[in-house]
Amino acid sequence: MWGLVPLFWPLLKPAGAVEILAHRMVWSLVFVGVALLFVRRWAWAGELLRQPRRLALVAVAAGVITVNWGVYIWSVNHGHVVEASLGYFINPLVTIAMGVLLLKERLRPVQWAAVGIGFAAVVVLTVGYGQPPWISLVLAFSFATYGLVKKKVNLGGIESLAAETAIQFLPALGYLVWLNSRGDLTFATEGTGHALLLAATGVVTALPLVCFGAAAIRVPLSTLGLLQYLAPMFQFMLGVLYFHEAMPAERWAGFALVWAALCLLTADAWRAARQVRAEVGLPRVSTSATASTSVDV
């Protein structure tokens, strides 16, 4: 679903990126609110309100994901699907770099090599684009920051999205009311089908997250990490094959470097996981399972 979402945002035209973003915030809260009513999980809200530091971190998370969502919607609807996919390819490298700089984590030599190759890829792409790939960098850094903050907040997927969209709700609703007062709100002027599509932004936002949260407790973390590469790969293929975005040689070179760095990270993570498994005496992963995972990715 995350990989195919670039097909959805163009359906919302003539709504602009900011109006789509505001609807996404409003309808996401509606969706997760109904979900929480269904599962009857509300105790976390009272605990969160009694912890100002965690609440402030949720506000930071809401701020950075707002930037991420807005830039992503704008990039897709303005013909930059490939560059947007690059942001999620380099996100693991940015996350590692932030771990070193902010959390003082120590990297293995292979991880250092991957980060170095990723930096070289950005240089190559900067030369190719004639400027830094700003869309990719904003998406990568905003999502990496979002992940870092969510790690500190330590809320479940639905609860976290509910808290973040609750903070986003009033500014988003205020913007939609202001647009309506100017007569520029497409929700009210482009027909029922358009209004339903805008309302569906809540489902498009929350449903993949709910599935991800369900998978996270059923699938090994190493497999889950590998599967997350599928979303930017689908986005990249859509950008090239469906939206027919240009891919000159220097962009292929930059992407090749990024993919090489990700291959190094994946191989290193797989090796480390097998080593830990061997040390604690768990059964080894079979060769057929390893081959299957590689084919899926």
Side-chain angles (χ1 to χ4, degrees), residues 21-253:
L21 174 63
H23 278 288
R24 188 176 189 180
M25 296 172 178
V26 169
W27 294 108
S28 292
L29 180 61
V30 173
F31 182 89
V32 295
V34 172
L36 287 170
L37 281 174
F38 181 75
V39 299
R40 298 181 180 180
R41 292 211 303 258
W42 294 103
W44 62 270
E47 295 175 5
L48 181 63
L49 291 173
R50 291 191 294 272
Q51 298 175 318
R53 183 177 177 275
R54 288 183 78 200
L55 194 58
L57 288 173
V58 171
V60 173
V64 293
I65 202 61
T66 296
V67 172
N68 184 275
W69 286 357
V71 170
Y72 186 77
I73 293 168
W74 182 91
S75 65
V76 170
N77 283 359
H78 285 78
H80 299 285
V81 176
V82 169
E83 192 174 349
S85 74
L86 176 64
Y88 293 103
F89 276 125
I90 66 176
N91 174 67
L93 302 172
V94 173
T95 300
I96 289 174
M98 292 178 68
V100 173
L101 296 175
L102 300 179
L103 303 180
K104 308 302 181 184
E105 294 179 355
R106 299 181 63 182
L107 300 186
R108 295 184 291 271
V110 174
Q111 292 174 313
W112 276 115
V115 172
I117 294 172
F119 179 78
V122 172
V123 173
V124 170
L125 290 165
T126 297
V127 173
Y129 280 105
Q131 62 180 11
W134 294 116
I135 292 172
S136 307
L137 294 173
V138 170
L139 290 174
F141 276 91
S142 60
F143 201 72
T145 303
Y146 179 65
L148 178 65
V149 174
K150 283 176 72 72
K151 182 179 176 68
K152 297 290 186 182
V153 174
N154 193 27
L155 272 178
I158 296 179
E159 294 87 349
S160 179
L161 184 62
E164 291 153 17
T165 51
I167 291 172
Q168 296 169 332
F169 181 80
L170 286 180
L173 184 63
Y175 177 77
L176 294 176
V177 170
W178 177 74
L179 272 186
N180 187 56
S181 69
R182 296 182 54 187
D184 295 331
L185 186 69
T186 66
F187 184 83
T189 59
E190 296 294 325
T192 303
H194 181 71
L196 290 174
L197 282 171
L198 285 171
T201 55
V203 179
V204 169
T205 299
L207 188 57
L209 184 63
V210 172
C211 293
F212 179 80
I217 60 176
R218 293 170 172 84
V219 178
L221 191 60
S222 57
T223 303
L224 198 66
L226 291 172
L227 290 174
Q228 288 185 74
Y229 291 137
L230 288 176
M233 184 59 76
F234 276 125
Q235 294 164 14
F236 174 79
M237 290 190 294
L238 283 174
V240 174
L241 302 176
Y242 182 79
F243 293 104
H244 303 292
E245 295 184 15
M247 280 295 293
E250 58 271 18
R251 291 186 192 172
W252 279 113

